[in-house]
């Protein structure tokens, strides 16, 4: 499915705005136009009086039960001619199979319903759950709820059903409510109505009948009507102006159904009968006072709130007499039909009344399309239900629900990462949480956990460790199935939370029901409080992104929390400053097209042994929309590639190390492209490279030789190494490790410089790629900055960006298991290369060169590249001036048929077909670089598009050229552009 077009989005917005509380005449449910249709008339003529009663009965069906249950349902359909089924637990595929079977034996098509308040995931395994309604109550853009309604409707129809017993429009103004609570949009009656209408409209516009519940309002109860009959003692004026307000508005907006709750409400009916059985409430108020002409449905007729003191069958008769049209979860169908027949014979209710109800049910069936019923196929159903568009809507809803209740001194989004030492602690967890894993995508963070019943010694140990950090991010978790208003932490853990809440620079993310905040001392004193409403994986992911500025928060608290926070509280965070991790649709890309295209090309490359594996990362509009690892570290092992693995970047180092340093130094007036090497390294004066400007050098038309095999200069004629180059053991004179039994002389760098200085020049000043000058750049950076080269890069770029894996000599910081191996070197080192730079010249520079040597995972490399794409800015901080970036990324000598920018590669001046160096749709403004080990980064400002491709194509040997012949990297790059257009 595709993201809505702008036209459709505009129309959708109008629809949603139109349903807000402007004054208009009451809209009648659409299905009512069919009550006297030809199809309904024809069915009515075929139904006996008892069969017309049976059409008002809906029994419970399950798709996770045995054949005995199925036979029971089939028997009810064949013998009792029931009108419908409400499905509960099971799977989508089985539900479709069963519904097909049930429809096959039913003379009148069955109306299928489900409780899908937050989507099919409420009932069916392996289907999508959207946020609970309390989280939705925090969202300020009701258009999203409309879109959710559309998608929920599509999914319900795909599983063979036609009616959703939703939305819940109870105003939850009782924090102790055990049954509504997180299922309510909140305590503001107008917002409850607005959101209920948006959700309802989305579903009904897709021809799914909805049923507002639980009339006349179940929000202010402290009893669960599944277990007993709640009593509400408010006066009529309060009930009329508050509890019934959303129902009135949804009725005015044209809702098709209303579900009546099991409640004892003396102000509406002093007899004490449940509202489901009250003629005063249903016929007197709902139908006559409120003018509702749609389908009136009972809450489940097996709940204790209505069954206590009432026999099955008899209770159903009472519900029909009270004015209900459809009985949900009838327990004794034959008796219910017999009791209603008895009531007709006794004159308590007329056959005409029954016929009118029956016509309503049949009209609904025609409105949803059952008059043209066709069996559904089960093929691909799980994939269709878990579609990319639904996942996108799910993500946006969670993102927009997150509510920042406090943000002292605008602490979030966190800035200046290089100044922060951050710890995260997940409370209520025993292992690293999804929240913590996602925090780690942004910068280095140390993680701790405390379980619900942590001992005093465990708490004390954590407290002591937290003293070493200047930012603490605490996640409060509740891994129960539903976010109820209870708290399970021990008193000791609660005391610990209260203590750290008073510490400056503590950030809390609450993955619990907001009412629980009232049970945590001092939580309102914390520097930052984020309410996430539920403990889902998605909520944890999005909360982490919010803290680091992946998106802006604008959620508002839908309920009051004691004296700590009030309904409507919520601080808007200032701006988006870093990556968010989101669905492709969020950036206008087609997720299915993207994934299918990339997967197939990567699989082709692996099948043909072009690469053993790799990582592909795609970002658009500063949103990472695709990050996936493929294959293995090596063809011969079982170590799977992970997205967090570090790769040898090879020549991508050229644009990722000294280049940003020189741009910064250029901004400071310390470096000029018009100067030559000799201006910064006097050693090169009087050489053939003196006075050659860096503009020409970086554009690769300075006549420099492409490369020098420095290691070959260490060999004698007999093939042994010269005595002053290598030793088998390290020492003060031979400290540079080449391999386990090769240690290079400490001054060998001078010989490399000498070889570069003396190398001859090419005859013509034309484009010829050369890496020679890049060996010299670290020294130039050190001379200009008066700092160690690696320190300068870390302090000015990598640490600030939070690019913690981006750097030289990775084994100094990371376990070798995280580093992907490269070539088995049979020429120089005579061993497999793993953890050290592949390039021979770079390893002879002690692994630190601007020619090669950097390692990184895709995520951290993308941060630097996104800074480039942003023309020098990322994380709310400017690194390099925009004018500098624009100059350095433009083609320098096109008149000389040279496509190159300043060190950056550019698309060929003319597209050369399938073997082109970039995708055909890459814009002329795009820039990037490739690496010998099989890497590629490319940025396109015209589309705000970033592409990172990491692989180790040189394994086992550099002679493997298949990645080039397949042109895998640029073919994948083209998929990105195509996914925008599809």
């Amino acid at each position: 499915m595709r993201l809505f077009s702008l036209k459709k989005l505009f129309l959708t917005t109008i629809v949603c705005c139109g349903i807000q509380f402007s004054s208009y005449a009451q809209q009648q449910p659409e299905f009512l136009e069919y009550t006297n249709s030809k199809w309904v008339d024809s069915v009515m003529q075929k139904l006996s009086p008892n069969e017309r009663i049976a059409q008002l009965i809906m029994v419970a069906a399950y798709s996770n039960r045995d054949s005995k249950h199925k036979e029971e349902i089939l028997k009810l359909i064949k013998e009792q001619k029931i009108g419908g089924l409400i499905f509960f637990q099971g799977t989508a595929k089985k539900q479709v199979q069963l519904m097909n079977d049930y429809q096959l034996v039913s003379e009148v098509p069955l109306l299928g319903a489900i409780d899908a308040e937050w989507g099919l995931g409420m009932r069916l395994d392996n289907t999508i759950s959207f946020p609970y309604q309390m989280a939705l109550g925090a969202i300020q853009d009701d258009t999203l709820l409309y879109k959710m309604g559309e998608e929920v409707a599509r999914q319900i129809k795909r599983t063979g059903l036609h009616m959703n017993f939703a939305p819940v429009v109870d105003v939850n103004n009782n924090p102790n409510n055990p049954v509504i609570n997180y299922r309510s949009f909140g305590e503001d009656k107008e917002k409850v109505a607005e959101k209920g209408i948006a959700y309802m409209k989305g579903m009904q516009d897709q021809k799914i009948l909805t049923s507002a519940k639980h009339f006349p309002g179940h929000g202010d109860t402290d009893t669960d009507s599944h277990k007993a009959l709640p009593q509400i003692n408010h006066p009529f004026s309060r009930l009329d102006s508050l509890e019934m307000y959303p129902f009135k508005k949804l009725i005015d907006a044209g809702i098709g159904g209303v579900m009546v709750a099991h409640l004892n409400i003396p102000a509406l009916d002093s007899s004490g009968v449940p509202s489901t059985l009250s003629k005063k409430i249903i016929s007197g108020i709902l139908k006559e006072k409120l003018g509702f002409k749609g389908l009136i449905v009972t809450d489940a007729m097996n709940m204790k709130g209505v069954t206590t003191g009432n026999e099955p069958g008899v209770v159903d008769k009472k519900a029909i007499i009270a004015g209900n049209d459809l009985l949900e979860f009838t327990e004794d169908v034959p008796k219910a039909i017999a009791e209603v027949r008895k009531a007709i014979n006794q004159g308590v209710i007329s056959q005409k009344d029954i016929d009118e109800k029956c016509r309503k049910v049949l009209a609904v069936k025609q409105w949803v399309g059952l008059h043209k019923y066709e069996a559904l196929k089960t093929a691909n159903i799980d994939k269709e239900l878990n579609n990319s568009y639904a996942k996108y809507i799910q993500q946006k809803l969670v993102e927009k629900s997150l509510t920042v209740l406090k943000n002292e001194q605008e602490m979030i989004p966190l800035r200046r990462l290089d100044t922060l030492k951050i710890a995260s602690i997940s409370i209520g967890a025993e292992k690293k949480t999804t929240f913590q894993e996602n925090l780690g995508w942004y910068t280095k963070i140390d993680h701790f956990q405390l379980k619900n019943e942590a001992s005093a010694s465990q708490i004390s140990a954590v407290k002591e460790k937290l003293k070493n950090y200047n930012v603490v991010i605490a996640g409060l978790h509740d891994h129960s199935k539903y976010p109820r208003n209870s708290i399970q932490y021990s008193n000791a853990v609660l005391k610990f939370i209260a203590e750290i809440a008073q510490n400056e620079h503590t950030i809390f993310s609450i993955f619990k029901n907001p009412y629980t905040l009232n049970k945590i001392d001092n939580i309102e004193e914390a520097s930052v409080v984020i309410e996430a409403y539920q403990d889902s994986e998605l909520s944890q992911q999005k909360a982490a992104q919010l803290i680091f500025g992946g998106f802006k928060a604008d959620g508002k608290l839908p309920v009051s929390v004691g004296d700590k926070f009030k309904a409507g509280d919520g601080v808007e965070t200032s701006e988006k400053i870093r990556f968010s991790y989101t669905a492709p649709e969020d950036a206008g890309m087609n997720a299915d097209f993207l994934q299918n295209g990339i997967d197939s090309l990567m699989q082709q490359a692996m099948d043909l042994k072009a690469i053993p594996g790799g990582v592909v990362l795609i970002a658009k509009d500063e949103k990472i929309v695709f990050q996936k690892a493929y294959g293995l570290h090596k063809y011969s092992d079982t170590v799977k590639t992970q997205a967090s693995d570090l790769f040898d970047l090879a020549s991508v180092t050229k644009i990722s190390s000294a280049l940003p340093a020189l741009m910064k130094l250029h901004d400071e007036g310390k470096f000029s492209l018009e100067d030559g090497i000799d201006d910064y390294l006097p050693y090169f004066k009087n050489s053939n490279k003196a006075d050659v400007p860096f503009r020409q050098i970086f554009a690769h038309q300075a006549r420099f030789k492409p490369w020098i095999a420095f290691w070959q200069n260490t060999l004698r004629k007999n093939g042994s190494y010269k005595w002053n180059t290598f030793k088998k053991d390290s020492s003060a004179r031979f400290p540079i490790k080449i391999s386990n039994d090769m240690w290079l002389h400490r001054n060998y760098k001078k010989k490399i410089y000498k070889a570069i200085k003396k190398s001859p020049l090419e005859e013509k000043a034309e484009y010829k790629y050369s890496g020679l000058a890049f060996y010299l750049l670290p020294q130039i950076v050190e001379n200009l900055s008066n700092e160690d080269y690696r320190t300068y890069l870390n302090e000015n770029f990598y640490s600030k960006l939070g690019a913690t894996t981006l750097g030289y000599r990775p084994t100094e910081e990371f376990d070798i298991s995280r580093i992907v191996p490269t070539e088995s070197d049979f020429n120089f080192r005579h061993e497999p290369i793993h953890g050290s730079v592949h390039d021979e010249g770079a390893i002879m520079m002690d692994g630190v060169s601007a020619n090669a040597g950097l390692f990184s995972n895709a995520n951290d490399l993308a941060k630097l590249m996104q800074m480039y794409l942003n023309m020098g800015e990322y994380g709310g901080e400017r690194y390099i001036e925009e004018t500098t970036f624009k100059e350095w990324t433009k083609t320098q000598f096109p008149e000389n048929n040279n496509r190159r920018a300043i060190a950056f590669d550019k698309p060929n001046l003319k597209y050369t077909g399938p073997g082109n160096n970039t995708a055909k749709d890459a814009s002329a403004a795009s820039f990037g670089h490739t690496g010998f080990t099989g890497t590629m980064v490319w940025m396109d400002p015209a589309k705000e598009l970033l592409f990172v491709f990491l692989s180790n194509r040189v394994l086992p040997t550099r002679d493997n050229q298949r990645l080039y012949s397949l042109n895998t990297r640029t073919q994948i790059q083209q998929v990105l552009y195509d996914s925008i257009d599809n």
Side-chain angles (χ1 to χ4, degrees), residues 94-155:
K94 186 65 175 177
Q95 180 173 290
V96 170
Q97 291 171 341
L98 288 172
M99 197 60 175
N100 286 342
D101 292 344
Y102 295 150
Q103 293 283 23
L104 188 64
V105 300
S106 183
E107 295 177 9
V108 178
L110 295 161
L111 184 68
I114 193 168
D115 281 308
E117 295 168 18
W118 51 86
L120 290 179
M122 182 173 176
R123 295 299 187 202
L124 301 182
D125 298 337
N126 303 317
T127 55
I128 287 179
S129 288
F130 295 99
Y132 300 120
Q133 285 191 196
M134 186 172 286
L136 300 179
I139 295 173
Q140 299 306 293
D141 180 8
D142 289 345
T143 303
L144 282 172
L145 275 72
Y146 177 88
K147 291 180 179 180
M148 182 187 91
E150 286 186 311
E151 183 58 30
V152 169
R154 285 190 286 263
Q155 298 206 4

Side-chain angles (χ1 to χ4, degrees), residues 540-792:
Q540 294 184 49
Q541 293 167 12
K542 290 297 182 180
Q545 294 174 38
L546 173 61
I547 289 169
F548 283 96
F551 57 87
K552 297 190 292 185
D554 57 8
K556 304 294 182 185
L557 193 65
V559 293
S560 296
V561 182
D563 296 326
K564 296 179 185 290
F565 303 105
K566 299 299 181 186
D569 283 355
V571 180
E572 293 186 17
T573 52
S574 56
E575 57 183 328
K576 170 181 167 55
I577 62 172
R578 292 190 183 88
F579 281 130
S580 59
Y581 298 78
T582 185
E585 280 78 6
D586 199 16
M589 302 176 82
N590 183 318
D592 293 332
F593 190 96
L594 193 67
Q595 178 154 328
N596 293 337
I598 296 174
D599 284 357
S600 63
L601 288 166
M602 287 297 287
Q603 192 61 52
Q604 178 194 51
M606 292 185 293
D607 289 345
L608 295 176
K609 297 225 172 351
I611 53 174
V615 174
V616 178
L617 181 148
I618 313 300
K620 187 175 185 302
D621 303 331
E622 208 170 35
K623 300 169 182 178
I624 292 181
V625 298
F626 189 95
Q627 184 174 200
K628 187 172 180 180
Y630 296 86
L632 306 170
H633 278 198
K634 297 189 292 186
Y635 295 109
S636 58
D637 67 15
T638 58
V639 179
K640 291 183 178 180
T641 306
Q642 304 293 326
S644 57
D645 285 342
L646 283 69
F647 285 76
D648 182 335
L649 302 183
S651 283
V652 172
T653 301
K654 289 181 173 67
I655 64 167
S656 305
S657 58
L659 194 67
L662 291 175
M663 282 193 272
K664 179 175 174 58
L665 291 166
H666 173 274
D667 289 341
E668 296 169 356
K670 297 177 182 178
F671 178 80
S672 172
L673 290 172
E674 313 314 322
D675 291 339
I677 296 173
D678 53 310
D679 290 302
Y680 304 108
L681 294 177
Y683 174 70
F684 280 83
K685 288 186 182 295
N686 301 317
S687 73
N688 58 6
K689 296 168 185 64
D691 300 324
V692 180
F694 271 104
R695 189 180 295 275
Q696 290 187 13
I697 294 170
F698 284 157
H700 297 283
Q701 68 166 44
R703 300 170 58 203
F704 289 7
K705 290 291 183 183
W707 70 295
I708 298 172
F710 299 110
W711 69 275
Q712 291 182 351
N713 294 336
T714 68
L715 293 173
R716 295 189 179 97
K717 290 183 179 180
N718 63 4
S720 63
Y721 292 113
K722 296 175 182 178
W723 73 272
N724 63 342
T725 56
F726 296 107
K727 298 295 181 185
K728 288 189 176 183
D729 295 310
S730 63
S731 66
R733 292 182 64 210
F734 294 85
I736 300 172
K737 184 178 181 180
I738 303 299
S739 69
N740 289 328
D741 56 1
M742 289 180 67
W743 296 82
L744 182 65
H745 193 281
R746 63 190 176 190
N747 293 327
Y748 196 81
K749 182 167 73 171
K750 293 179 181 179
K751 293 186 179 294
I752 292 176
Y753 279 24
K754 183 178 180 180
I756 294 172
K757 180 180 179 181
K758 290 191 171 184
S759 63
L761 298 177
E762 299 285 344
E763 291 185 8
K764 292 183 179 180
E766 61 185 6
Y767 168 53
K768 180 163 281 191
Y769 183 82
S770 172
L772 295 187
F774 289 86
Y775 288 96
L776 312 175
L777 298 184
Q779 188 63 58
I780 292 175
V781 171
E782 289 186 352
N783 291 349
L784 294 177
S785 66
N786 294 315
E787 279 193 69
D788 171 75
Y789 175 65
R790 293 173 70 191
T791 302
Y792 183 85

Side-chain angles (χ1 to χ4, degrees), residues 680-942:
Y680 304 108
L681 294 177
Y683 174 70
F684 280 83
K685 288 186 182 295
N686 301 317
S687 73
N688 58 6
K689 296 168 185 64
D691 300 324
V692 180
F694 271 104
R695 189 180 295 275
Q696 290 187 13
I697 294 170
F698 284 157
H700 297 283
Q701 68 166 44
R703 300 170 58 203
F704 289 7
K705 290 291 183 183
W707 70 295
I708 298 172
F710 299 110
W711 69 275
Q712 291 182 351
N713 294 336
T714 68
L715 293 173
R716 295 189 179 97
K717 290 183 179 180
N718 63 4
S720 63
Y721 292 113
K722 296 175 182 178
W723 73 272
N724 63 342
T725 56
F726 296 107
K727 298 295 181 185
K728 288 189 176 183
D729 295 310
S730 63
S731 66
R733 292 182 64 210
F734 294 85
I736 300 172
K737 184 178 181 180
I738 303 299
S739 69
N740 289 328
D741 56 1
M742 289 180 67
W743 296 82
L744 182 65
H745 193 281
R746 63 190 176 190
N747 293 327
Y748 196 81
K749 182 167 73 171
K750 293 179 181 179
K751 293 186 179 294
I752 292 176
Y753 279 24
K754 183 178 180 180
I756 294 172
K757 180 180 179 181
K758 290 191 171 184
S759 63
L761 298 177
E762 299 285 344
E763 291 185 8
K764 292 183 179 180
E766 61 185 6
Y767 168 53
K768 180 163 281 191
Y769 183 82
S770 172
L772 295 187
F774 289 86
Y775 288 96
L776 312 175
L777 298 184
Q779 188 63 58
I780 292 175
V781 171
E782 289 186 352
N783 291 349
L784 294 177
S785 66
N786 294 315
E787 279 193 69
D788 171 75
Y789 175 65
R790 293 173 70 191
T791 302
Y792 183 85
L793 290 176
N794 282 323
E795 288 182 350
N796 288 281
F797 297 100
Y798 306 157
S799 293
K800 286 184 177 183
L801 290 165
T804 57
T805 65
L806 181 56
Y808 295 96
R809 302 178 192 155
T811 55
E812 293 178 358
E813 295 184 58
F814 303 99
D815 191 277
I816 200 165
S817 65
R818 290 190 60 187
I819 304 169
V820 178
T822 52
E823 185 176 13
S824 293
D825 185 352
F826 297 107
N827 296 316
F828 177 36
R829 283 170 273 189
H830 303 286
E831 67 177 17
I833 308 305
H834 191 185
S836 60
V837 61
H838 169 270
D839 183 85
E840 297 92 343
I843 194 64
M844 295 176 77
M845 295 284 288
D846 204 8
V848 180
S849 170
N851 182 63
L854 279 181
F855 286 72
S856 181
N857 66 24
N859 184 70
D860 284 342
L861 180 60
K863 295 170 187 174
L864 179 64
M865 298 301 120
Q866 185 66 48
M867 185 266 280
Y868 291 171
L869 189 54
N870 294 346
M871 295 289 126
E873 189 173 14
Y874 185 76
E877 183 172 352
R878 178 156 291 283
Y879 292 78
I880 298 164
E881 292 301 321
E882 183 176 356
T883 53
T884 299
F885 252 103
K886 288 184 175 179
E887 176 63 25
W888 287 48
T889 56
K890 78 176 185 181
T891 302
Q892 297 297 305
F893 300 102
E895 71 281 359
N896 204 30
N897 199 31
N898 183 346
R899 70 175 188 261
R900 288 279 177 163
I902 304 298
F904 291 103
D905 198 2
K906 298 281 288 181
N908 286 329
L909 298 177
K910 291 184 178 179
Y911 182 67
T912 58
N916 199 61
N917 72 321
T918 64
K920 65 179 177 64
D921 287 346
S923 77
S926 69
F927 56 94
H929 215 286
T930 56
F932 188 76
T933 52
T935 57
M936 180 177 182
V937 293
W938 209 268
M939 294 132 277
D940 193 341

Side-chain angles (χ1 to χ4, degrees), residues 127-246:
T127 55
I128 287 179
S129 288
F130 295 99
Y132 300 120
Q133 285 191 196
M134 186 172 286
L136 300 179
I139 295 173
Q140 299 306 293
D141 180 8
D142 289 345
T143 303
L144 282 172
L145 275 72
Y146 177 88
K147 291 180 179 180
M148 182 187 91
E150 286 186 311
E151 183 58 30
V152 169
R154 285 190 286 263
Q155 298 206 4
I156 289 173
K157 287 199 290 188
R158 181 63 184 88
T159 58
L161 307 182
H162 323 96
M163 184 173 185
N164 190 4
F165 290 139
V168 173
V169 291
D170 300 310
V171 180
N172 200 87
N173 40 27
N174 185 337
N176 297 317
N177 193 316
V179 64
I180 303 302
N181 205 287
Y182 63 88
R183 296 165 62 196
S184 166
F185 288 119
E187 68 180 49
D188 184 317
K189 65 180 184 180
E190 293 189 358
K191 292 187 180 300
V192 168
E194 290 168 6
K195 294 179 187 305
I197 291 171
Y199 187 19
M200 174 270 288
K201 285 283 190 182
M203 288 187 280
Q204 290 196 172
D205 283 355
Q206 295 297 315
K207 297 295 184 180
I208 285 291
L209 194 74
T210 63
S211 178
K213 62 186 186 186
H214 305 82
F215 185 82
H218 208 319
D220 195 6
T221 61
D222 54 15
T223 301
D224 185 346
S225 53
H226 293 84
K227 301 175 182 179
L229 180 63
Q231 183 168 326
I232 298 177
N233 292 310
H234 296 302
F236 177 83
S237 58
R238 149 71 187 261
L239 296 166
D240 183 55
S241 62
L242 180 58
E243 271 76 11
M244 286 191 279
Y245 179 87

Side-chain angles (χ1 to χ4, degrees), residues 424-441 447-450 473-479 511 535-537 540-541 544:
S424 79
I425 178 165
S426 283
I427 301 171
E430 298 187 25
K431 62 181 180 179
K432 191 175 181 181
T433 60
T434 298
F435 178 53
Q436 293 177 313
E437 289 174 354
N438 281 263
L439 290 171
W441 283 115
H447 303 294
F448 306 94
Q449 295 83 35
L450 272 182
I473 302 174
L476 303 192
H477 296 270
D478 184 353
H479 295 295
F511 301 105
D535 202 7
S536 68
E537 296 240 328
Q540 294 184 49
Q541 293 167 12

Side-chain angles (χ1 to χ4, degrees), residues 459-485:
I459 293 172
S460 179
V462 168
K463 283 170 63 176
E464 190 61 31
K465 291 175 181 176
L466 293 182
K467 292 178 181 178
N468 299 316
Y469 300 88
N470 59 8
V471 173
V472 175
I473 302 174
L476 303 192
H477 296 270
D478 184 353
H479 295 295
S480 59
K481 187 175 182 181
Y482 302 114
R484 304 195 186 278
N485 55 346

